Amino acid sequence: MKEKLATIIFIALGIASAILGFYLIREEPLFSLAFFIGSINCGISAFHEYSYYTHRNQPIDERNLPGEMIIKYSVSEMVNSFLGYSVFIALGIFFLTMVGFDYKKYQKTDFALLALAAFFIITYGFKIVKVIRKVIAPPIINISTQGIVLDSAFVMSWDDIEDEKITMKKESYSPYKKGAKYLSLFHQNKKIEEKIDYLDVADYTLEQYLKIYRTRSQQNG
């Protein structure tokens, strides 16, 4: 029920944002752009929620798996993040157009809007740069019969790996935010954690990969 509710909420927010965008497009086209981007963002989020919960009980056909599974950042998640940050960039530019550039006529509220615009543009501009850097980032996780590679480092052999699993960690004091998901394992008695929230495979799929490739390694050994 919770998963359906989240999907419905994103759809409702997307429709509401689109309606507001069309309503404002004639009078404030730049301001309406933020709502149009937000609408697309909500649509992608709704699809992610629906897809995640629809396929979570679907088993993997081991016969179709390659010798090595290469896992990178999710393209759709990066697009969604880019769009989400673009909303604030658009708002920042809108605030700039509101106050103008004739600083001699500025009032106190204009300086506040200018500061807010600068904050939005600079902060979320840096976030967009980080998203773009992820596009060319090397694989985050490689899984094969030889073992696991994290962040393109060395191969951790299955013989040296213990208790590999997906864990959830609370990273915010807000009761409304979900915890972050991690791949947790012990390599030669040293605990290692890799954040997996924005990868191109779901956490339950990654769990199946870990079991399948460990089993293959044991069979080959």
Side-chain angles (χ1 to χ4, degrees), residues 142-154:
N142 296 57
I143 308 175
S144 67
T145 55
Q146 280 70 46
I148 301 174
V149 180
L150 299 179
D151 297 317
S152 299
F154 60 92

Side-chain angles (χ1 to χ4, degrees), residues 153-168:
F154 60 92
V155 178
M156 295 181 288
S157 171
W158 286 113
D159 293 334
D160 298 326
I161 297 173
E162 295 179 347
D163 196 26
E164 66 277 7
K165 59 185 177 182
I166 307 301
T167 60
M168 182 85 75

Side-chain angles (χ1 to χ4, degrees), residues 129-210:
V129 171
K130 289 182 178 180
V131 171
I132 295 173
R133 289 177 62 184
K134 289 181 179 179
V135 175
I136 58 175
I140 306 304
I141 303 174
N142 296 57
I143 308 175
S144 67
T145 55
Q146 280 70 46
I148 301 174
V149 180
L150 299 179
D151 297 317
S152 299
F154 60 92
V155 178
M156 295 181 288
S157 171
W158 286 113
D159 293 334
D160 298 326
I161 297 173
E162 295 179 347
D163 196 26
E164 66 277 7
K165 59 185 177 182
I166 307 301
T167 60
M168 182 85 75
K169 290 176 62 177
K170 191 76 172 177
E171 293 194 331
S172 171
Y173 292 104
S174 171
Y176 303 104
K177 289 187 178 181
K178 296 180 180 179
K181 295 172 185 175
Y182 286 82
L183 166 59
S184 174
L185 58 86
F186 285 88
H187 177 248
Q188 295 180 345
N189 297 321
K190 179 183 178 182
K191 187 175 183 179
I192 298 175
E193 292 181 319
E194 181 74 29
K195 197 170 185 177
I196 61 168
D197 275 339
Y198 303 108
L199 303 184
D200 56 8
V201 298
D203 53 342
Y204 48 78
T205 303
L206 180 57
E207 281 186 321
Q208 292 187 66
Y209 287 158
L210 294 170

Side-chain angles (χ1 to χ4, degrees), residues 30-215:
L30 188 57
F31 190 44
S32 68
L33 178 62
F35 287 99
F36 284 126
I37 296 173
S39 177
I40 298 171
N41 190 252
C42 289
I44 295 175
S45 296
F47 173 77
H48 283 167
E49 289 288 325
Y50 175 80
S51 179
Y52 179 86
Y53 289 104
T54 300
H55 299 97
R56 62 179 174 179
N57 295 320
Q58 183 176 331
I60 294 175
D61 187 353
E62 298 182 34
R63 296 169 297 180
N64 295 328
L65 289 183
E68 180 181 25
M69 183 57 61
I70 299 174
I71 301 172
K72 298 182 177 182
Y73 285 112
S74 168
V75 174
S76 62
E77 287 284 1
M78 287 189 287
V79 170
N80 209 27
S81 296
F82 182 88
L83 291 173
Y85 299 149
S86 297
V87 169
F88 293 95
I89 298 291
L91 286 175
I93 296 174
F94 172 71
F95 291 151
L96 282 179
T97 60
M98 284 183 62
V99 299
F101 296 96
D102 189 357
Y103 67 91
K104 293 181 180 179
K105 298 181 180 179
Y106 282 0
Q107 298 179 359
K108 291 182 179 180
T109 54
D110 294 327
F111 284 108
L113 282 176
L114 187 65
L116 188 60
F119 173 78
F120 280 168
I121 293 172
I122 295 172
T123 301
Y124 291 95
F126 276 117
K127 289 181 180 293
I128 286 176
V129 171
K130 289 182 178 180
V131 171
I132 295 173
R133 289 177 62 184
K134 289 181 179 179
V135 175
I136 58 175
I140 306 304
I141 303 174
N142 296 57
I143 308 175
S144 67
T145 55
Q146 280 70 46
I148 301 174
V149 180
L150 299 179
D151 297 317
S152 299
F154 60 92
V155 178
M156 295 181 288
S157 171
W158 286 113
D159 293 334
D160 298 326
I161 297 173
E162 295 179 347
D163 196 26
E164 66 277 7
K165 59 185 177 182
I166 307 301
T167 60
M168 182 85 75
K169 290 176 62 177
K170 191 76 172 177
E171 293 194 331
S172 171
Y173 292 104
S174 171
Y176 303 104
K177 289 187 178 181
K178 296 180 180 179
K181 295 172 185 175
Y182 286 82
L183 166 59
S184 174
L185 58 86
F186 285 88
H187 177 248
Q188 295 180 345
N189 297 321
K190 179 183 178 182
K191 187 175 183 179
I192 298 175
E193 292 181 319
E194 181 74 29
K195 197 170 185 177
I196 61 168
D197 275 339
Y198 303 108
L199 303 184
D200 56 8
V201 298
D203 53 342
Y204 48 78
T205 303
L206 180 57
E207 281 186 321
Q208 292 187 66
Y209 287 158
L210 294 170
K211 293 177 182 178
I212 291 170
Y213 283 99
R214 177 178 277 283
T215 301

